[in-house]
């Protein structure tokens, strides 16, 4: 195998290499012979299909598969031989018209020098679940089960208000004809804050016109950045009715006995599990920020950063579209994500280096624990677990996440730290 590597920048590399022709031919021949013994073709007895027929039927596919496998194997061998550490996936292209000469372009991991995690000083947040937190959770559960009753009084905070609206933005009326109907819970933030507050004190059948200054990034383009006349008409006012915390209420959350003490104990267990995860995530973010600060001057692979920025943009666009927003994305929009992408790449590469230098390995038990934790948030946990196990891409993503968490926890254990107490609510706030 002939291999040559040249630099195309401080982190860019161009590798030229040749595939071993004999190994390719041997692999193809062996696979075709295997097919001739096992394949069933109409008109021929098993194991008696002529080699020419096998070649005509499967030759092209077998050659493509053999070439792809040998290409990856040869490239990986060349990378090990040259002691290269790749940052991201390579771009593999044929060097000419033949199929044996190839060129790979890629970036390598930067030289971080000594990585002494004991010099990092991280903040370890602490918190505990109190009776007040349990009371607040029970109140939240009551709010989830509330009902609404129509009332003959002005609307107040917490009421559900049904209304009709239309707006005048300069010469444009929205909608062009008629009105838009909807409902909001005053104080929920479902509607623009000025509109929700204007509903306070209005009764069923009452009209009002208000002037609203919408921000430049408002989700409705016709209203964004404009001062708009909004016409409101309340068609119904309903007050919320909270259920009592009785046996039926408690049983509806899986406590068969309906016992309040058991109910509170179960809530405490769930809140403590949530708190444990939140504190772990805070510590990992803290370690990540310390790593970023300590190695901010190290140059990052440009292609890897750009790919990460584009992925972050795509994720945000997809989220906006799921919310019903019509998003137009300029070609250079990814550039707005370059800074967070650079930080994410930096942490990822550092984590990989720490794992490599300290021979850290993925813990299969931890992968299973994380998978079960993820699945527990769904109605059919076993189906979610099966979905991951049958999807190599999803499982690879989970393993990558768990490995990163393992390494960051390993760093946190060896770093200097100071403790800072938080309330439960502050601790779980992301």
């Amino acid at each position: 195998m002939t291999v040559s590597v040249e630099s195309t920048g401080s982190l860019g590399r161009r590798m030229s290499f040749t595939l071993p022709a004999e190994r390719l031919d041997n692999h193809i021949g062996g696979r075709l012979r295997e097919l001739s013994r096992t394949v069933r073709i109409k008109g021929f007895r098993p194991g008696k299909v002529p080699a020419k027929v096998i070649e005509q039927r499967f030759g092209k596919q077998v050659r493509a598969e053999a070439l792809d496998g040998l290409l990856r194997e040869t490239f990986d061998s060349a990378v090990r031989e040259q002691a290269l550490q790749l940052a991201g996936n390579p771009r593999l292209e044929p060097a000419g018209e033949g199929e044996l000469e190839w060129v790979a372009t890629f970036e390598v991991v930067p030289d971080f020098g000594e990585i002494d995690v004991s010099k990092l000083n991280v903040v370890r947040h602490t918190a505990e679940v109190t009776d007040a937190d349990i009371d607040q959770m029970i109140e939240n559960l009551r709010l989830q089960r509330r009902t609404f009753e129509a009332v003959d009084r002005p609307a107040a905070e917490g009421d559900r208000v049904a209304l009709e609206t239309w707006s005048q933005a300069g010469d444009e009326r929205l909608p062009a004809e008629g009105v838009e109907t909807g409902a909001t819970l005053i104080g929920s933030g479902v509607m623009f804050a000025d509109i929700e507050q204007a509903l306070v004190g209005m009764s069923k059948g009452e009209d009002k016109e208000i002037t609203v200054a919408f921000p430049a990034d408002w989700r409705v383009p016709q209203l964004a950045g404009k001062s708009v006349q909004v016409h409101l008409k309340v068609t119904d006012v309903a007050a919320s009715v909270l259920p009592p915390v009785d046996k039926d209420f408690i049983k509806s959350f899986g406590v068969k006995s309906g016992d309040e003490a058991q109910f509170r104990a179960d809530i405490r267990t769930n809140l403590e599990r949530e708190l444990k995860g939140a504190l772990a995530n805070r510590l990992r973010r803290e370690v990540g920020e310390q790593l970023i600060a300590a190695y901010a001057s190290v140059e990052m692979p440009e292609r890897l950063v750009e790919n990460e920025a584009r992925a972050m943009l795509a994720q945000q666009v997809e989220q906006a579209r799921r919310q019903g927003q019509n998003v137009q994305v300029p070609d250079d929009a990814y550039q707005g994500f370059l800074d967070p992408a650079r930080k994410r790449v930096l942490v990822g590469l550092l984590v990989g280096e720490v794992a490599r230098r300290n021979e850290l390995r993925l813990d299969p038990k931890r992968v299973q624990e994380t998978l079960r934790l993820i699945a527990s948030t769904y109605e059919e946990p076993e189906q979610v677990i099966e979905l991951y196990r049958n999807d190599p891409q999803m499982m690879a993503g989970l393993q990558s996440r768990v490995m990163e968490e393992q390494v960051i926890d390993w760093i946190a254990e060896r770093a200097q730290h100071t403790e800072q107490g938080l309330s439960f609510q502050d601790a779980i706030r992301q």
Side-chain angles (χ1 to χ4, degrees):
M1 177 176 63
T2 304
V3 179
S4 65
V5 179
E6 59 182 303
S7 296
T8 58
S10 55
L11 298 176
R13 299 291 184 272
R14 185 177 188 272
M15 176 191 290
S16 300
F17 60 100
T18 304
L19 302 183
E22 185 178 350
R23 286 193 59 194
L24 178 62
D25 292 339
N26 288 341
H27 188 100
I28 294 170
R31 179 58 179 149
L32 290 175
R33 284 191 296 273
E34 180 184 340
L35 285 171
S36 70
R37 293 192 300 269
T38 59
V39 74
R40 291 181 178 274
I41 297 179
K42 189 175 181 180
F44 298 96
R45 286 181 296 166
K48 300 297 182 179
V49 182
K52 186 175 182 180
V53 175
I54 295 292
E55 171 69 30
Q56 290 174 342
R57 183 73 65 91
F58 302 105
K60 187 175 181 180
Q61 178 185 344
V62 167
R63 189 171 195 85
E65 291 174 354
L67 182 61
D68 183 68
L70 186 58
L71 175 60
R72 296 289 173 178
E73 181 185 328
T74 304
F75 175 73
D76 290 344
S77 176
V79 167
R80 289 192 297 272
E81 181 183 299
Q82 299 291 323
L84 297 169
Q85 294 181 59
L86 271 60
N89 294 322
R91 182 178 297 154
L92 296 166
E93 300 172 313
E97 295 183 2
E99 61 181 3
L100 298 180
E101 294 182 354
W102 289 80
V103 170
T105 54
F106 51 89
E107 294 170 308
V108 295
V109 175
D111 181 9
F112 290 107
E114 181 187 12
I115 304 178
D116 186 358
V117 299
S118 66
K119 294 180 180 179
L120 301 178
N121 195 335
V122 301
V123 175
R124 284 183 179 268
H125 293 102
T126 61
E128 62 180 19
V129 176
T130 66
D131 287 342
D133 298 319
I134 296 173
D135 292 338
Q136 181 61 57
M137 187 62 203
I138 292 175
E139 192 65 17
N140 292 342
L141 296 175
R142 294 178 71 202
L143 287 170
Q144 292 175 13
R145 298 292 177 88
R146 66 186 159 190
T147 57
F148 290 90
E149 290 183 356
V151 293
D152 187 17
R153 61 164 173 75
E157 192 85 8
D159 286 345
R160 187 182 67 191
V161 177
L163 66 157
E164 298 174 348
T165 65
W166 64 272
S167 305
Q168 190 71 42
D171 296 331
E172 187 174 9
R173 186 188 193 277
L174 297 172
E177 296 180 359
V179 297
E180 293 181 344
T181 60
T184 187
L185 196 67
I186 298 179
S188 66
V190 171
M191 287 189 171
F192 194 66
D194 291 355
I195 296 176
E196 282 195 1
Q197 286 306 306
L199 295 172
V200 175
M202 292 182 67
S203 300
K204 181 178 179 179
E206 187 176 345
D207 294 274
K208 181 185 283 189
E209 179 181 307
I210 61 172
T211 301
V212 179
F214 288 96
D217 60 351
W218 186 242
R219 60 178 178 264
V220 182
Q222 298 94 322
L223 304 179
K226 296 179 181 178
S227 182
V228 180
Q229 299 301 309
V230 180
H231 300 258
L232 309 172
K233 181 179 180 180
V234 172
T235 57
D236 190 51
V237 178
S240 63
V241 179
L242 298 179
V245 184
D246 55 17
K247 284 193 173 184
D248 288 339
F249 178 80
I250 293 171
K251 286 180 179 180
S252 70
F253 289 97
V255 182
K256 294 180 180 180
S257 66
D259 180 65
E260 185 173 358
Q262 183 61 52
F263 184 43
R264 293 180 69 86
D266 289 351
I267 291 174
R268 179 179 290 278
T269 299
N270 290 333
L271 293 183
E272 287 176 344
R273 182 169 58 243
E274 182 181 2
L275 177 60
K276 181 180 178 181
L279 291 176
N281 287 336
R282 278 181 171 273
L283 180 60
R284 289 165 190 149
R285 280 201 303 274
E286 175 73 15
V287 171
E289 289 169 2
Q290 292 296 318
L291 290 173
I292 289 168
Y295 295 91
S297 61
V298 178
E299 181 183 0
M300 289 294 102
E302 292 181 3
R303 189 199 300 173
L304 192 59
V305 171
E306 180 180 329
N307 290 343
E308 184 64 34
R310 291 185 183 276
M312 294 172 72
L313 169 64
Q315 186 177 21
Q316 190 172 91
V317 169
E318 178 61 24
Q319 184 178 359
R321 285 175 176 162
R322 286 179 180 175
Q323 295 172 352
Q325 300 180 34
N326 184 17
V327 183
Q328 300 296 325
V329 184
D331 292 340
D332 61 351
Y334 74 91
Q335 293 183 7
F337 292 84
L338 287 175
D339 185 56
R342 186 173 289 107
K343 292 176 179 177
R344 188 176 289 184
V345 167
L346 171 57
V347 172
L349 292 179
L350 272 168
V351 163
E353 271 296 277
V354 170
R356 186 184 67 83
R357 294 184 188 187
N358 295 279
E359 299 182 346
L360 304 181
R361 297 290 181 265
L362 180 66
D363 181 357
K365 183 179 177 182
R366 184 161 174 169
V367 173
Q368 294 305 315
E369 290 173 351
T370 304
L371 176 55
R372 293 203 169 275
L373 183 61
I374 293 171
S376 68
T377 62
Y378 293 85
E379 291 185 5
E380 300 289 343
E382 292 304 321
Q383 289 185 11
V384 176
I385 292 172
E386 197 65 21
L387 176 64
Y388 269 84
R389 288 175 175 168
N390 292 329
D391 189 324
Q393 189 171 355
M394 290 181 68
M395 185 56 76
L398 175 63
Q399 291 171 340
S400 177
R401 165 188 162 181
V402 171
M403 186 65 206
E404 182 169 313
E405 289 177 356
Q406 277 185 229
V407 178
I408 290 181
D409 289 348
W410 185 90
I411 294 171
E413 290 172 3
R414 288 155 179 78
Q416 302 175 51
H417 71 272
T418 55
E419 289 194 355
Q420 179 180 332
L422 295 174
S423 68
F424 171 80
Q425 294 299 332
D426 286 340
I428 65 173
R429 188 175 295 118
Q430 297 300 315

